Structure formats: structure tokens, C-alpha cells
Amino acid sequence: MRSLSRIEGASESPAQRAAQARRRGQVRRLVRLARQVPRHLILILFGILFGFPMLWMLSSSLKSQQGLFQYPPQILPWPLTFDNYTQLFQYFPVGRFFLNSLIITTLNVTGTLVSCSMAAYSFSRLRWPGRNKIFALTLATMMLPTQVTMVPLYLIFRSFGWVDTWYPLWVPAWFGVAFYIFLMRQFFLSLPSEIEDAAKVDGAGYVRIFLSIALPLMRPALITVALFAFMNTWNDFVTPLIYIHSTDKMPLALGLQFINSTGAYVGQSFWGMLMAGAVCATLPMVILFLFLQRYFVRGIVMTGLKG
């Protein structure tokens, strides 16, 4: 039987054997595709589910006051109107709110990158007494809820005269954040030590190695930490609510609450303008993530936080 199959295989031309190989390859590709279809359908379903609130927010910002309360509700706005955006910038200092958030976020992200990168490099590369114990103490601070430290921090900042200023919103970032220090330390540990050894042979010190070698290599981790810090600061509502009282110093998140409270005070609903303001607040984060998602995913994978 085997000899017969060998004879038949030998009698086939190279073109026939190539055609059979192509058909087998097509069958394998179809089988792989059939296996991937349920997975992609589930991902598409969850993508629609998680993206629906943003779609509804955008749709509501483009509806008229009557369309917002129409029943049954419309997913796609019609008639399309941009009155909510024009009235938002006309009646409220949204541009000032946006600029305040941008300044506070820039100071916060810069302080986070500077302080956390130096602390992480020290914990991962430098040898000094009590390093592991202090690192464990740093990680222990992550177990304290924000509500526990809220009152003591307020008393400290009030004694400094920092109430109704931006200092409580960005100065703490220049003293390090435990989670970001841990994130960068994990990345530093993944770098080969031979690079530093070669730099030391050439006469480079720790500062030169940190600035010229370590920082350029840890760009994905820096971008990941910068994105986390940007999102946390840009969306922060509680901290500005505690310390900021003046309208001209409010960031965008607190400014939206000011718009809502103003509407309640005058007995009107500003839902359309609030949705427009929410779109303006969400847009920078979406754009930033779309441009930096490649570095963000790489930084997450290389720091060992992948699920």
C-alpha cells in the first residue's frame, strides 16, 4: 500500500504538488480564521460596551435641549447643533479652566518623572545600607488609602499657607510616588548590567550613567508613567475641591462641577454644556493615548505588570 502511494506521488507533476500544498495552506488558514472569529466577536462586543458611554456623551453634547430629554432617546443626534459648545465658552471661563489643568498637569508630570526616575535608579542600581528596607517602607505607603492622609495633609498645607493655591496639587509629585517608583525600578532591573559596567570602565560616574544611558533606554517606562500621571492629575477632582476656592484657579474637572452648581443655583439644567465640557476634558487624553499607545503597551510589558 505504501509503495502504491509512493508510485502515485511520484507520478504527480510539480505543479500538482504545489497546487495541493496551496490548498492545504488555504484550509489551515480557514481553520485558524474560524477559531479566531468568536474571539474577535467577543472583543468587538466588549469594545462597543465600553465605548458606548463616550458615544452617548458625544451625542448628548451635539443635541438641543429638547433632544436631551426626548423619549425614546436618540443615539445619533438630530438635528445636529453646536450650540452647547458655543454657549459653554461664552458663559463660562472654560479656556481658563483648561489652561489651569494644563499647567498643573505639566508640573505634576514633570515632578513625577524627575523624582521617581532618580529614586527608582537608586533602589535598583546603587548599593547602600538599608536600601531594601526603605524600598519596602516606600511600597508600604501604597497600602494607605487617600482618605487616611487627606486630613493630615490639609493641616500641613494650611500651616504653609497653601490653601487656595496650586502648590498642594503639584508639589507632592516632586517627592516621588510609590507606585511609579516601583514601576520604574522594575524596568531598571530588566536592563543588562553589562552596559553600566562598560560605562564605568570608560570612566563614567553614576550621574553620567543615569543621564546618558539609563534614561534613554527607559523611554517606554517614562512614557507609561507620564501617561498614568497625566490621567490621574487631569481627572483629579477631590484634591482641587479641597484646596481651590477661587474660580480663576479651578482646573477643568472642578470647573465642570462649578458649571453644574451654577445651573442648580439659577434653577436651570446645563446638561448639554456639561456634556460638551466632558468631551473637551476627555479629548486630550484620547489623543495622547492614540499617539503614545505603542510605547505605553511596551512599557507595561517590560515592567512586568502585564496580566
Side-chain angles (χ1 to χ4, degrees):
M1 194 69 178
R2 293 181 179 177
S3 60
L4 180 60
S5 61
R6 291 175 182 174
I7 295 173
E8 291 177 352
S11 63
E12 294 179 351
S13 63
Q16 292 175 340
R17 288 196 295 270
Q20 290 180 359
R22 285 195 298 270
R23 285 195 293 269
R24 286 194 295 269
Q26 291 175 357
V27 171
R28 285 194 295 267
R29 284 194 294 270
L30 289 175
V31 171
R32 286 197 299 266
L33 181 62
R35 292 176 179 175
Q36 292 176 359
V37 165
R39 184 188 310 169
H40 283 81
L41 288 178
I42 294 174
L43 292 176
I44 292 172
L45 179 62
F46 276 98
I48 295 174
L49 182 63
F50 284 104
F52 183 77
M54 293 190 64
L55 176 62
W56 185 259
M57 177 181 66
L58 179 61
S59 174
S60 300
S61 68
L62 299 174
K63 292 179 181 178
S64 61
Q65 189 69 14
Q66 293 77 17
L68 286 171
F69 301 98
Q70 183 178 353
Y71 187 83
Q74 292 180 336
I75 297 179
L76 298 178
W78 188 259
L80 198 66
T81 177
F82 291 92
D83 291 343
N84 293 321
Y85 290 91
T86 57
Q87 293 175 4
L88 177 68
F89 285 89
Q90 181 180 359
Y91 297 131
F92 297 99
V94 179
R96 183 63 187 178
F97 295 157
F98 195 94
L99 181 61
N100 293 343
S101 291
L102 187 61
I103 295 173
I104 295 170
T105 303
T106 301
L107 293 172
N108 205 306
V109 172
T110 304
T112 299
L113 294 179
V114 172
S115 61
C116 294
S117 61
M118 291 191 296
Y121 182 77
S122 175
F123 282 130
S124 61
R125 293 303 187 187
L126 304 184
R127 304 292 179 181
W128 43 278
R131 183 190 65 172
N132 295 331
K133 294 180 180 179
I134 295 180
F135 179 67
L137 183 63
T138 302
L139 294 183
T141 60
M142 298 171 56
M143 303 177 187
L144 293 175
T146 306
Q147 293 80 3
V148 174
T149 59
M150 190 178 298
V151 174
L153 282 177
Y154 179 82
L155 296 177
I156 293 173
F157 291 144
R158 189 183 64 175
S159 65
F160 291 164
W162 286 2
V163 177
D164 200 23
T165 66
W166 287 346
Y167 294 116
L169 307 183
W170 63 269
V171 168
W174 289 81
F175 292 89
V177 181
F179 175 69
Y180 301 144
I181 293 174
F182 167 76
L183 201 68
M184 291 188 180
R185 176 183 177 271
Q186 296 302 109
F187 189 88
F188 274 128
L189 292 177
S190 66
L191 298 178
S193 59
E194 289 79 5
I195 300 177
E196 295 184 7
D197 295 336
K200 291 177 183 178
V201 172
D202 293 336
Y206 288 113
V207 177
R208 181 66 181 274
I209 294 173
F210 174 71
L211 295 176
S212 302
I213 298 176
L215 286 183
L217 289 176
M218 67 177 303
R219 182 183 301 174
L222 289 174
I223 293 177
T224 302
V225 170
L227 279 175
F228 277 133
F230 182 89
M231 289 187 295
N232 291 336
T233 308
W234 189 268
N235 294 326
D236 190 14
F237 171 75
V238 176
T239 308
L241 179 65
I242 295 174
Y243 295 104
I244 303 300
H245 303 153
S246 303
T247 306
D248 58 339
K249 298 177 183 177
M250 290 182 178
L252 189 56
L254 189 59
L256 294 178
Q257 173 61 26
F258 172 75
I259 295 173
N260 186 28
S261 60
T262 302
Y265 180 76
V266 299
Q268 297 182 10
S269 60
F270 294 156
W271 292 113
M273 285 189 284
L274 283 173
M275 292 298 104
V279 171
C280 295
T282 307
L283 197 58
M285 291 186 294
V286 174
I287 295 175
L288 194 65
F289 180 78
L290 289 178
F291 279 101
L292 301 177
Q293 61 177 335
R294 178 166 60 92
Y295 297 100
F296 178 77
V297 174
R298 184 184 173 191
I300 289 294
V301 171
M302 297 187 69
T303 50
L305 293 182
K306 56 183 179 180

